[in-house]
């Protein structure tokens, strides 16, 4: 970037982008919490509010993309400056997908008509959500603070979520085998558990974006994977 | 863009981007076909090849993003030129997600141990895949040819896929209720049917990108939705 003026203009563009990503992150965290609350409490109205909130997330993603592109065209940033802008776009893409997954859970609330709701299942779902939510919060903090070790902690933490998901699937499968009247309800919860696990995957993506932003290259280590649900014939997850 | 030189350099950048998107599209179409073939024929080796192919898709997406960003920084395109570059990035993002969904189906092949395989179910899955695959092909052609009416045809065609998915879910649910030994197998197929439906959603996204590229604004009409699986208590799809 040639002049001091350009550098200042770039800094202000970048600040605004970072602010927008933080705003989007806050909204998405709320969508996760509220969608699972709605599921557990069978709060159809809250589920509908989560569905409605997704429009705002989609709009924010477009705004971030648009501003990022304009900043690249106007300021022609290089190296770390360019990576900062590209990273903002990437994080916004992952947040948008998380919004879609929460929206999908919000939609399912209205369909859960059964009274069947074993406490162990609810606890498992809550525990998984707490873990994933803390991953999303931590990775967004790491992104904002350029804290690579914190981002790498999130990156490594994905295994635990996958393990809980596999165990939830096993439990849901047992309930389905026991009584066909549980099937419909349990399938909804399977899709929800899968959605929460996928939200964890997006937190991992964001950790990889932080790595790229700071280190200037894509992460090459293989992502840790604790989720074996696709391979176990009795546990038909992922 | 100032000079004739810049205009030529831009055209050559754009051509290369379009070529990369077309290459990625071809690979993704093959992944869709092969993942469903692998599922239907229980071809575990083919399933594994689909899983392995996804790395190439992820790499292509990164290459397209990188080149798009460099083109924006170097050539500072405006209006339609800028939208062409942003659209290439967006289409690559949707293709990458389609690759993930096909990969997920490829992974499930190894888990389908049951011999249970009703013909009606297979036909439904094949029919749905044919429809979605033709949507993906058509929308990529529409993108390459800047053909807005063709893109809008794809955009409107999503309803039929959603309807088949809902009917497949209903059928799978019946098999699960009839015999608990079918449950695990049927859940895998439910996730696969949902994946195929989501691939259709990405074709719709690409149609919206074509609209944005040509018209210079986001599409505002509400997307047609035939999928009611989230709302029907007996059909627990999305």
């Amino acid at each position: 970037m040639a002049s001091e003026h350009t550098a200042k203009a770039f800094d202000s563009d970048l600040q605004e982008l970072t602010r927008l990503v933080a705003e989007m992150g806050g909204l998405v965290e709320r969508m996760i919490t509220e969608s699972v609350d709605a599921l557990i409490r069978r709060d159809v109205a809250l589920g509908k509010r989560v569905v409605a909130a997704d429009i705002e997330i989609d709009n924010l993603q477009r705004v971030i993309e648009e501003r990022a592109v304009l900043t690249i065209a106007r300021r022609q940033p290089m190296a770390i400056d360019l990576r900062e802008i590209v990273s903002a776009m990437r994080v916004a893409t992952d947040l948008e997908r998380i919004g879609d997954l929460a929206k999908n859970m919000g939609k399912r609330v209205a369909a859960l008509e059964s009274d069947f709701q074993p406490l162990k299942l609810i606890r498992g779902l809550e525990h998984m959500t707490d873990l994933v939510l803390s991953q999303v919060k931590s990775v967004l903090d790491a992104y904002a603070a350029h804290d690579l070790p914190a981002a790498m902690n999130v990156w490594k933490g994905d295994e635990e979520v996958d393990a809980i998901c596999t165990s939830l699937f096993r439990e849901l499968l047992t309930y389905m085998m026991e009584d066909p009247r549980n099937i419909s309800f349990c399938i909804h919860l399977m899709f929800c558990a899968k959605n929460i696990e996928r939200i964890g995957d997006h937190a991992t993506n964001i950790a990889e974006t932080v790595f790229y932003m700071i280190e200037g290259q894509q992460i090459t280590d293989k992502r840790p994977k604790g989720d074996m649900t696709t391979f176990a014939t009795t546990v038909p997850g992922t």
Side-chain angles (χ1 to χ4, degrees), chain A:
Chain A
M1 273 176 290
S3 68
E4 201 183 328
H5 169 76
T6 316
K8 271 195 188 152
F10 174 81
D11 286 343
S12 137
D13 284 357
L14 179 59
Q15 254 176 32
E16 175 61 8
L17 267 177
T18 313
R19 194 194 64 70
L20 285 166
V21 172
E23 183 187 336
M24 202 177 165
L27 289 171
V28 159
E29 284 171 21
R30 205 173 70 194
M31 280 178 80
I32 301 170
T33 309
E34 290 186 346
S35 60
V36 177
D37 275 1
L39 271 177
I40 288 171
R41 304 205 315 257
R42 311 285 172 96
D43 185 337
V44 177
L46 183 59
K48 280 185 184 161
R49 284 207 296 281
V50 173
V51 172
D54 190 49
I55 296 163
E56 207 176 333
I57 298 297
D58 291 350
N59 286 340
L60 270 167
Q61 197 228 334
R62 287 295 177 229
V63 169
I64 289 167
E65 183 195 68
E66 201 173 284
R67 296 207 178 189
V69 164
L70 280 179
T71 303
I72 296 168
R74 279 186 196 147
R75 321 291 179 207
Q76 296 174 273
M78 306 278 284
I80 173 75
D81 290 338
L82 182 56
R83 293 201 305 275
E84 296 259 12
I85 306 294
V86 171
S87 298
M89 276 201 291
R90 284 193 192 167
V91 174
T93 303
D94 278 301
L95 290 175
E96 190 266 331
R97 292 198 210 180
I98 296 178
D100 281 347
L101 293 164
K103 175 188 175 183
N104 182 269
M105 291 194 280
K107 272 194 198 173
R108 287 180 191 278
V109 178
L112 292 180
E113 276 190 1
S114 148
D115 281 334
F116 176 71
Q117 197 158 25
L119 197 67
K120 201 178 153 201
L121 214 61
I122 299 304
R123 290 281 168 273
L125 207 64
E126 279 178 335
H127 182 42
M128 195 175 160
T129 308
D130 288 345
L131 266 175
V132 164
L133 197 60
S134 89
Q135 282 188 323
V136 171
K137 278 180 206 284
S138 302
V139 83
L140 288 173
D141 287 347
Y143 165 73
H146 290 63
D147 184 342
L148 185 56
M152 288 301 95
N153 272 341
V154 172
W155 193 73
K156 287 173 206 142
D158 201 30
E159 272 182 85
E160 195 180 347
V161 172
D162 293 347
I164 301 174
C165 190
T166 304
S167 120
L168 262 179
F169 262 74
R170 195 162 283 140
E171 212 176 312
L172 283 163
L173 206 62
T174 312
Y175 293 126
M176 292 163 93
M177 303 268 192
E178 272 170 18
D179 186 346
R181 283 169 303 177
N182 296 336
I183 290 178
S184 175
F185 171 84
C186 287
I187 292 172
H188 276 298
L189 282 205
M190 276 189 174
F191 274 96
C192 290
K194 205 70 216 161
N195 283 359
I196 298 167
E197 195 205 58
R198 282 190 184 128
I199 292 173
D201 290 341
H202 289 298
T204 311
N205 287 351
I206 296 174
E208 292 180 356
T209 295
V210 175
F211 183 92
Y212 156 81
M213 179 172 77
I214 294 171
E215 295 288 313
Q217 54 189 24
Q218 307 300 334
I219 202 161
T220 47
D221 271 359
K222 248 193 118 172
R223 185 182 285 207
K225 264 285 148 211
D227 173 35
M228 295 302 289
T229 50
T230 323
F231 299 104
T233 42
T234 45
V235 186
T238 297

